[in-house]
Amino acid sequence: MDKSTAGGLAGGWALVSLAIMLGGVGFGPYIDVPSVIIVIGGTLAVTAGQFEPADLKRIIPAMKVAFNEVKVEPLPELIEKITFYATEIKKHGVMHIEQKVLEEQNPFFKEAFQLLVDGTKAETLTPLLETKLEYMEKRHSTMHKMFANIGGTAGSMGMIGTLVGLVAMLANLSDPASVGPAMAVALLTTMYGALIGTLFAGLMESKLSQKHAKEVEACEVIILGTTMIAAEESIGNIKMQLNAILVDDEEE
């Protein structure tokens, strides 16, 4: 469980709820069915129209990713592991690591080193892994765009609801009883849109982007390490180049 994701989401909604309770009127006035229909219904409809069904099915798994820790080793541990494998290959040959590779949990790491075990040359291995990384980035970017669109659409639907409410209010100024419900729609749709965009979609998009960046960085280190091993670079050179990445990362 990623505590920062859960804490940020729960904390944000809790603070809004606390502010409502401190207002002294309770939650009743903040619940409006027409506003819910406009904002949530409209956002769902627009999102369904913007993305393919296969992508829409991935929204729940993507949310699970946001709530879980990144399944990649920290860079120092990853570099140490790559150096260990490189040393083992130099000393005992590539087949010596085959069983250890099969036990690896990181799919990208496992596939990269399995290619080494299979005797894949550096000039072939690098394009294969870069292509795999490219497609992974495309899959991830689709989910980032989806949550970004949900946030933007919710805000837009909130503004549409505000206009709907204002028109209804202005059209019935002669009837004081209808002014209140119309004004509620006008204000609450904006509120609902802002809450969804900020305390749900915005948070999910930001967290997924951060996790994606960590995963891509780890994959790039794996590609560099396996390429140098396949090219039969010296252990010293492999350590130097991989540790240079680590130093650059710490400086940033």
Side-chain angles (χ1 to χ4, degrees), residues 42 46 57 62 89 95 99 106 110 127 164 167 192 210 237:
V46 171
K57 292 178 181 178
I89 292 171
M95 297 307 297
Q99 187 57 42
N106 184 330
K110 184 176 182 178
V164 169
V167 169
Y192 291 170
Q210 292 175 41
N237 192 29

Side-chain angles (χ1 to χ4, degrees), residues 97-190:
I97 68 167
E98 184 175 13
Q99 187 57 42
K100 290 187 178 69
V101 169
L102 292 175
E103 295 171 359
E104 288 291 340
Q105 300 300 311
N106 184 330
F108 194 90
F109 187 99
K110 184 176 182 178
E111 184 170 345
F113 275 83
Q114 189 60 54
L115 288 170
L116 282 179
V117 172
D118 293 340
T120 308
K121 300 297 183 183
E123 60 269 19
T124 305
L125 183 145
T126 304
L128 283 174
L129 293 178
E130 287 179 343
T131 299
K132 183 177 177 64
L133 177 58
E134 180 182 347
Y135 278 98
M136 183 189 78
E137 289 183 303
K138 286 181 179 179
R139 290 196 309 272
H140 290 184
S141 67
T142 299
M143 300 316 298
H144 301 165
K145 290 177 183 176
M146 185 179 296
F147 281 107
N149 282 16
I150 288 173
T153 301
S156 297
M157 295 306 298
M159 292 305 299
I160 291 171
T162 297
L163 296 175
V164 169
L166 288 175
V167 169
M169 183 183 70
L170 293 173
N172 293 281
L173 286 177
S174 59
D175 181 10
S178 66
V179 173
M183 180 60 77
V185 172
L187 296 177
L188 289 176
T189 49
T190 301

Side-chain angles (χ1 to χ4, degrees), residues 1-250:
M1 171 67 75
D2 187 329
K3 294 180 180 178
S4 65
T5 305
L9 191 65
W13 285 99
L15 288 171
V16 172
S17 299
L18 177 62
I20 290 173
M21 288 188 292
L22 292 176
V25 295
F27 289 97
Y30 293 91
I31 299 173
D32 184 73
V33 175
S35 298
V36 171
I37 293 172
I38 292 172
V39 177
I40 297 181
T43 299
L44 290 174
V46 171
T47 302
Q50 289 175 327
F51 295 89
E52 296 296 324
D55 294 326
L56 294 171
K57 292 178 181 178
R58 291 169 48 213
I59 191 168
I60 299 300
M63 289 173 62
K64 291 180 180 178
V65 170
F67 279 99
N68 290 313
E69 295 290 347
V70 181
K71 294 181 179 179
V72 294
E73 301 95 331
L75 281 188
E77 293 180 16
L78 181 59
I79 290 172
E80 185 178 344
K81 183 191 290 189
I82 293 172
T83 304
F84 167 77
Y85 275 110
T87 304
E88 290 291 292
I89 292 171
K90 282 287 185 182
K91 288 182 178 179
H92 308 289
V94 71
M95 297 307 297
H96 182 73
I97 68 167
E98 184 175 13
Q99 187 57 42
K100 290 187 178 69
V101 169
L102 292 175
E103 295 171 359
E104 288 291 340
Q105 300 300 311
N106 184 330
F108 194 90
F109 187 99
K110 184 176 182 178
E111 184 170 345
F113 275 83
Q114 189 60 54
L115 288 170
L116 282 179
V117 172
D118 293 340
T120 308
K121 300 297 183 183
E123 60 269 19
T124 305
L125 183 145
T126 304
L128 283 174
L129 293 178
E130 287 179 343
T131 299
K132 183 177 177 64
L133 177 58
E134 180 182 347
Y135 278 98
M136 183 189 78
E137 289 183 303
K138 286 181 179 179
R139 290 196 309 272
H140 290 184
S141 67
T142 299
M143 300 316 298
H144 301 165
K145 290 177 183 176
M146 185 179 296
F147 281 107
N149 282 16
I150 288 173
T153 301
S156 297
M157 295 306 298
M159 292 305 299
I160 291 171
T162 297
L163 296 175
V164 169
L166 288 175
V167 169
M169 183 183 70
L170 293 173
N172 293 281
L173 286 177
S174 59
D175 181 10
S178 66
V179 173
M183 180 60 77
V185 172
L187 296 177
L188 289 176
T189 49
T190 301
M191 177 182 172
Y192 291 170
L195 287 174
I196 293 172
T198 305
L199 293 181
F200 171 66
L203 190 149
M204 292 291 113
E205 180 195 3
S206 177
K207 185 60 70 169
L208 287 174
S209 295
Q210 292 175 41
K211 292 178 184 292
H212 168 74
K214 288 183 180 179
E215 191 171 354
V216 168
E217 187 176 41
C219 290
E220 289 174 343
V221 169
I222 292 168
I223 292 173
L224 177 60
T226 51
T227 300
M228 288 190 291
I229 293 172
E232 300 183 352
E233 296 273 358
S234 68
I235 300 298
N237 192 29
I238 292 172
K239 284 183 178 179
M240 183 179 67
Q241 291 202 47
L242 293 179
N243 285 324
I245 295 174
L246 184 59
V247 170
D248 291 342
D249 187 68
E250 290 174 348

